[in-house]
Amino acid sequence: MLSVNITKVFDSFRLETQFEVEEGSITAIFGKSGAGKTSTINAIAGLTRPDVGVIQIGNTTLFDQNLRINLPIYKRQIGYVFQDDRLFPHMTVQNNLIYGTPKNRDVANSLNLTDITGLLELAPLLERRPRTLSGGEKQRVAIGRALLSNPKLLLMDEPLASIDVQHRFEILPFIQRVREKTGITIIYVTHALEEVIFIADQIILLSEGQVTAQGTVEEIMSRLDLHPMTSRFDAGAVISAIYSGYDKEFDLGELSFDGGTLRIAGLNAEIGIHLRAHIRARDVSLMLDKPKDTSVLNVFKGELIEIRHEDGPQLDLLINIGTPLIARITRKSLNDLNLGIGSKVYAMIKAVAIDRRTLGTSLATSSSETKPKKV
Amino acid sequence: MTILSPVEYEIVLLSVQVATWSVLISMPLSLATAWLLSRRQFYGHLIVDGLVHLPMVIPPVVVGYVLLLLFGRQGPIGGFLSEVLGITIAFTWKGAAIASAVMAFPLMVRAIRLSFQAIDEGLEEAAATLGASPFRVFFTITIPIISPGLIAAAILGFARSLGEFGATITFVSNIPGETRTLPLALFTLIQTPGGDAAAVRLLSISVILALGALIASEYLARRITRQVKR
């Protein structure tokens, strides 16, 4: 387990963060640029020195101002995948990969070059120079290089930022695979909500140098009060579900969750896998009576449990349909339907409105289970 | 040697020997100084920076005279070297190499410093996160990446040493076969009545030598730059 409790005063703002991260989890540090995300992980890696505080991994103290402990970067055993790949330009891909591999090969359970090459599909790149690689390939090498240094923790600072938009989502499954096969704890810094939903178990919400909230992706995303910080436009609940069936005739995938079955257009996955669907609040509409003759495939009965009033024409409602769901409607509709806390409503979600790209594999429920470290 | 006379050959060989040793002496010191000045904040930074550039701005004769005071038989360093180690510096080619090294030093520091400033420190940080000690980072990341700068510095120092005159003649005099390098030989010929033809020959040799060094360095630098470029 990683625990961080640090303060550092910069010219323009004050970083004051305290959080803990479970072993084997993927935790996203999410926030706007300038919120202190990178400064936080730089402190963990030893690249910046906090003014006061303590940083520990398990029983190892990396930093403790009171005890005058400040372990140098190279002794911390923390892998770091930077925003820019930072591959060594004068070395081949293979030499980049093995640069940090511990010299004594008897290190228990550590990954070797063959494992990593297979996992990240790097075999065809080994003899090449970093400058000849695409952005996505470079980041895959950077991830492999970090893993081969046998780290206790992997930090990733917006690893997709330097990759062009079309290829960005090709990297995420690799990161997922890394976690599944190695069980390594990952801290993933990003300001892109869809990456968080795709990959993370936990979110640490950072705003102006402070942790404003921490919890599972589902918890944080269903909190109406956090919308100004998560994303106003993409605000919406995240539903954990199991892929339960596929309607071949109409090309519809079915996701079972606590409140029923969600149908999503064009989703064909392996039956039984955990998936996570991000239902944007503005894709959810409400009716008082059970709708008939509607084109909308997903209709769930629920109860209104929270209203977040805001200035302006629209507001967000939290509805319990067995799991929290958020709907964004106009103030006028709230008025016309005479909605209040406890109102029974039917929530409608168009099957075509759900962005298939944001369907992340959720492993959040099994974070306590020990995963084999060997690939 | 049919093109060069035995005397000319001796002069060229001595010049190259002195310049090579001058670069070899100056390189580690320049590297250390450049690193210190570009990577470390310390009290007296400005003073060290000024001292480094001193040989560039004071008359070479002064440099030569100071060297003579330090390295002469009676001098603090020269006395030690000759008594304890039996090495004589003053009025030998070794002294010429030291004089050239001192004169080349500021130029080499400047060139290396520029490379230190141009290097992406993120690469060094990345190496550290991979478990590399500062020592390993320096020799496996920093040095290879700044190697084009090191070559540029070496060539600059070499060329400066080939042309060194004032400090050399003051410190080690103008002894044929021992300290008479190209510029000193040229100077001697100009002083000699009827030495013009021989002087022009030497002049041509020195131009060719300098040009050759520049072309070789350019070729080398390009090859290495291609290797280390992002």
Side-chain angles (χ1 to χ4, degrees), chain B residues 1 32 36 51 77 79-80 101 125-126 129 157 159 168 172 179 183-184 187-188 190 192 194 201 206 209 211 216 218:
Chain B
M1 268 296 153
L36 201 69
L51 283 174
I77 304 173
F80 171 82
E125 282 181 355
T129 65
T168 307
V172 294
T179 65
L184 271 65
F187 173 73
T188 312
I190 297 165
T192 315
R201 274 180 64 87
S206 70
L209 208 59
L211 217 58
E218 189 62 22

Side-chain angles (χ1 to χ4, degrees), chain A residues 74 78 86 89-90 99 131, chain B residues 125 128-129 132 136 140 228 230:
Chain A
Y74 71 99
I78 292 178
R86 300 202 187 175
H90 57 297
Y99 185 83
R131 68 168 177 281
Chain B
E125 282 181 355
T129 65
R136 182 163 178 236
T140 59
V228 299
R230 280 254 202 188

Side-chain angles (χ1 to χ4, degrees), chain B residues 202-214:
Chain B
L202 265 192
L203 186 149
S204 316
I205 292 166
S206 70
V207 169
I208 290 165
L209 208 59
L211 217 58
L214 280 177

Side-chain angles (χ1 to χ4, degrees), chain A residues 272-313:
Chain A
I273 63 162
H274 283 268
L275 282 177
R276 215 186 239 159
H278 179 212
I279 315 289
R280 284 185 304 189
R282 54 201 186 87
D283 292 333
V284 177
S285 49
L286 300 179
M287 284 187 91
L288 285 177
D289 301 312
K290 190 175 172 67
K292 332 180 276 183
D293 305 332
T294 170
S295 70
V296 178
L297 286 177
N298 300 300
V299 180
F300 303 103
K301 192 176 181 193
E303 184 185 334
L304 181 55
I305 51 176
E306 190 185 339
I307 302 173
R308 180 165 169 86
H309 292 279
E310 269 184 275
D311 298 335

